[in-house]
Amino acid sequence: MRAFTCKRCHVLVPFESQVCQHCAASQGFDPDGGALETLKPVGTYFAPIGQLTAVWARCSQSCRTGCNWLVPVEAAGG
């Protein structure tokens, strides 16, 4: 199993996390990059910390099932 760390506070974060338990930073899994990303809000969407061009939406199941996967903005709602 791969270990992930919060890019804000550098504490280990479980794969299933939507929020870092240490610093409360939003987390999301980028399936294309295979990494858990620390996120900053960009309007109603999110961008990984340190990336200027990538903008993501949460999976439509994030509220219902706690899914932390990120989807491209154009696929939001799916």
Side-chain angles (χ1 to χ4, degrees):
M1 164 122 346
R2 183 172 170 200
F4 295 100
T5 58
C6 174
K7 292 182 176 126
R8 181 189 288 169
C9 69
H10 308 289
V11 171
L12 288 175
V13 180
F15 168 75
E16 311 78 29
S17 297
Q18 286 188 351
V19 176
C20 173
Q21 295 298 311
H22 186 260
C23 73
S26 292
Q27 306 290 314
F29 183 72
D30 171 7
D32 294 334
L36 194 65
E37 297 289 346
T38 303
L39 307 170
K40 62 182 175 189
V42 177
T44 58
Y45 300 111
F46 298 93
I49 288 178
Q51 293 183 18
L52 301 175
T53 58
V55 179
W56 299 89
R58 290 208 179 268
C59 169
S60 62
Q61 297 297 312
S62 66
C63 291
R64 179 178 289 163
T65 65
C67 181
N68 69 345
W69 283 45
L70 300 172
V71 295
V73 169
E74 54 273 3

